[in-house]
Each structure stands twice: as C-alpha cells, then as structure tokens.
Amino acid sequence: MKDFSLMHSGMQLKSADISRLEKDIGFSLPNSFKALYFVSNGGVPNRSWVITDDGYDPMQVADFKNVYSDGAGNPDDTQFIGGCYKLMCERQVIPHTLLPFAVDDGGNFFCLDLLSGAVMFYAVDTFRSDVSMAANQVAAQKIIATSFESFIDGLEFESGL
C-alpha cells in the first residue's frame, strides 16, 4: 500500500473502535484494512481511480468512509462504515456479507466482501422491480480486486487515465 494516503481523515482510531465494528458486523476485517484505518480513518484518497481491463469505464473512489470512534457523533450515521452497513442491510440494499467502506461521486459503494476478502463495486442505482431482491443484489456487484491490499495497490492517479 505504498504511496497511498487518505486526506481529511476522521478521528484517530483505537483498537476498541475496530473491535466494535467487527462485533457489529459479525466478521473479522483483513489486517490490511485495519492497518490503513489505524493510519487514516477514512478520507479522500490521493490515488482514486479504478481501471479494469474488462471494458468497463474507469471508476473513481471519491471518499473512504470513517470508522466510528467515541465522541465522533452518532455511530448510526451513514458517514460511518458501521452506520452505513446497518442501514443498507436493514433496507436490503446490500447483502450482509458486503461492507461498504467507500463511495464514488454517484453514491455507489466500494465494498469489502466479508467472506472472500475481495473488493466489489456495488451499483445502488440498478434496482429492477421485476426480479427478486437477491437477484438485484447479485446484479449490482462487480469484483474489482481479489483483496483489499490489491485494491489499494491498484488505485491510480488521474494522470494514468
């Protein structure tokens, strides 16, 4: 995760903050995810472009969500990873196995697959009323990296477009 940083980060995290998030979501987070969040609690990435070789347009990560820490406001606010996860799962927008940690400018999510560790792009505006919620959730997902670390390492500067 060299040459990567997040600007305008939230409050510094403690181990208890990450432990609380893991307890709330019912999954352990990858070490690379925790390491980044201990350095910078969310923020605007210096390298923000996801370029794939499968014909999709480049995607830009606008903002990494913060992990809630004591004194940072309401933990259920969707600016925080846990609050966003809770609300999106309750509304069945995302399956409980995806953790939205970042967004693009259109409000779509970059999610950590809590089962495989992969990073998925999740388009929230693709809902079709003629198919089931489960089918909608599957259709909204696109794998963009096999791990969080490879996702971060693969982000590019704008000049790379």
Side-chain angles (χ1 to χ4, degrees):
M1 295 195 293
K2 62 181 180 179
D3 301 328
F4 181 78
S5 63
L6 294 169
M7 301 163 285
H8 312 293
S9 295
M11 294 177 68
Q12 183 72 39
L13 295 178
K14 301 177 192 113
S15 294
D17 300 323
I18 294 287
S19 295
R20 178 177 39 232
L21 176 60
E22 289 178 319
K23 182 178 180 256
D24 289 347
I25 64 175
F27 291 91
S28 294
L29 295 167
N31 288 335
S32 57
F33 185 93
K34 293 188 274 192
L36 175 65
Y37 271 84
F38 280 128
V39 172
S40 297
N41 183 9
V44 179
N46 67 324
R47 289 186 286 124
S48 60
W49 288 95
V50 176
I51 315 269
T52 61
D53 56 5
D54 56 7
Y56 283 87
D57 288 339
M59 298 166 270
Q60 186 176 26
V61 182
D63 187 54
F64 279 67
K65 291 183 169 292
N66 298 349
V67 171
Y68 175 78
S69 59
D70 286 333
N74 181 352
D76 289 334
D77 191 313
T78 58
Q79 76 177 352
F80 299 113
I81 292 174
C84 182
Y85 174 80
K86 179 180 174 184
L87 181 65
M88 294 298 108
C89 286
E90 284 173 359
R91 292 187 177 173
Q92 298 182 353
V93 173
I94 62 169
H96 79 281
T97 56
L98 292 182
L99 181 68
F101 66 86
V103 294
D104 70 5
D105 284 328
N108 298 302
F109 296 125
F110 294 89
C111 298
L112 182 63
D113 184 321
L114 296 167
L115 297 176
S116 71
V119 174
M120 313 292 283
F121 179 75
Y122 194 90
V124 296
D125 56 358
T126 61
F127 182 82
R128 291 183 39 204
S129 60
D130 61 327
V131 298
S132 71
M133 186 59 70
N136 273 302
Q137 290 176 348
V138 169
Q141 300 177 45
K142 172 185 171 25
I143 188 167
I144 53 176
T146 57
S147 70
F148 184 75
E149 188 169 359
S150 65
F151 169 72
I152 297 297
D153 288 344
L155 289 173
E156 297 187 20
F157 292 102
E158 185 173 0
S159 61
L161 297 176

